[in-house]
Amino acid sequence: EAGVTQFPSHSVIEKGQTVTLRCDPISGHDNLYWYRRVMGKEIKFLLHFVKESKQDESGMPNNRFLAERTGGTYSTLKVQPAELEDSGVYFCASSQDLRLAGFYNEQFFGPGTRLTVL
Amino acid sequence: DAKTTQPPSMDCAEGRAANLPCNHSTISGNEYVYWYRQIHSQGPQYIIHGLKNNETNEMASLIITEDRKSSTLILPHATLRDTAVYYCIAQSATRQLTFGSGTQLTVLP
């Protein structure tokens, strides 16, 4: 079974440019999460989709970040315009319906996208 | 989510058991204890979770104290590939994961 995949693995852009990160969750997983680790900090939650709906976007830092999950399959995270402080590693994770998982939330993480804003 | 406290670093000899402690004194009744690890520059990896009872799987064992205020993750026979940052997380099942700074475990040859 394929795991969570993320594309690209690395992205280097200049301040002010736009970048779009993609995440493909494990097939059948309704829950999709975005996290990020910026330089020297802890991994922080950004938002949570249940299918195509945003369940919780309390971690999104500002309106330069836009996440979508059309059709409830893959998700994209767009940063526009990118700033220097956006540099870091962006992780995507997915998990199955909690009812199927026995009400515990094992999240499967992708390898991350390393974003560098110059 | 309950706050967790872990030592910043630990060493363990290869082949020996690694015992990683975690304090979660404010944990509430519906919050699980999860353990994840992050091996250098990979995505975090689920290890084990528990609510009240001790748990064991193919990777590790989780010992939770009776008052649920602390727990210990046990890797029974640590290998060099177990060198990683280990995160203890206490939260309800419906919430996103709240990562702290974790414990850097170094397995020494």
Side-chain angles (χ1 to χ4, degrees):
Chain A
E1 175 184 301
V4 175
T5 58
Q6 294 186 244
F7 182 83
S9 57
H10 293 83
S11 180
V12 180
I13 61 173
E14 293 189 352
K15 176 182 172 181
Q17 291 186 322
T18 298
V19 63
T20 300
L21 313 181
R22 174 173 169 141
C23 168
D24 286 77
I26 292 173
S27 178
H29 279 193
D30 289 343
N31 294 286
L32 188 149
Y33 305 81
W34 284 98
Y35 296 84
R36 74 172 182 175
R37 184 204 292 274
V38 295
M39 205 59 69
K41 301 284 184 63
E42 298 164 356
I43 299 172
K44 295 290 188 185
F45 165 79
L46 295 177
L47 87 160
H48 169 204
F49 284 99
V50 177
K51 297 184 180 179
E52 67 274 10
S53 300
K54 292 176 183 176
Q55 181 77 11
D56 181 354
E57 51 185 330
S58 61
M60 295 289 264
N62 51 61
N63 59 10
R64 297 186 292 105
F65 289 75
L66 175 64
E68 295 180 323
R69 193 183 182 194
T70 307
T73 54
Y74 71 91
S75 175
T76 58
L77 179 65
K78 180 189 289 187
V79 185
Q80 179 182 28
E83 298 290 345
L84 299 179
E85 63 265 25
D86 299 331
S87 295
V89 182
Y90 290 75
F91 294 106
C92 174
S94 71
S95 67
Q96 62 181 171
D97 187 307
L98 288 180
R99 294 167 296 178
L100 298 176
F103 288 97
Y104 78 91
N105 189 6
E106 176 183 353
Q107 297 185 19
F108 296 82
F109 282 77
T113 292
R114 181 172 296 278
L115 174 65
T116 302
V117 182
L118 302 176
Chain B
D1 303 333
K3 178 177 171 55
T4 62
T5 304
Q6 300 176 252
S9 65
M10 293 181 64
D11 292 341
C12 175
E14 188 178 19
R16 304 297 295 268
N19 297 282
L20 291 89
C22 178
N23 288 321
H24 32 79
S25 58
T26 61
I27 195 169
S28 62
N30 69 337
E31 290 181 322
Y32 287 79
V33 178
Y34 292 85
W35 284 83
Y36 280 74
R37 73 180 182 183
Q38 186 177 21
I39 296 171
H40 177 63
S41 66
Q42 298 179 17
Q45 176 191 26
Y46 165 85
I47 301 171
I48 199 167
H49 78 284
L51 186 61
K52 296 179 183 178
N53 300 321
N54 297 337
E55 303 288 344
T56 295
N57 62 20
E58 64 277 5
M59 290 181 68
S61 294
L62 174 60
I63 308 298
I64 303 174
T65 58
E66 192 170 341
D67 61 10
R68 303 215 315 131
K69 292 185 177 182
S70 66
S71 61
T72 300
L73 177 74
I74 301 172
L75 307 178
H77 304 287
T79 70
L80 299 178
R81 288 176 296 179
D82 292 321
T83 292
V85 178
Y86 287 77
Y87 298 98
C88 169
I89 299 168
Q91 65 176 80
S92 64
T94 57
R95 297 275 294 164
Q96 71 277 6
L97 298 172
T98 302
F99 290 86
S101 51
T103 296
Q104 170 67 58
L105 174 69
T106 302
V107 180
L108 303 171

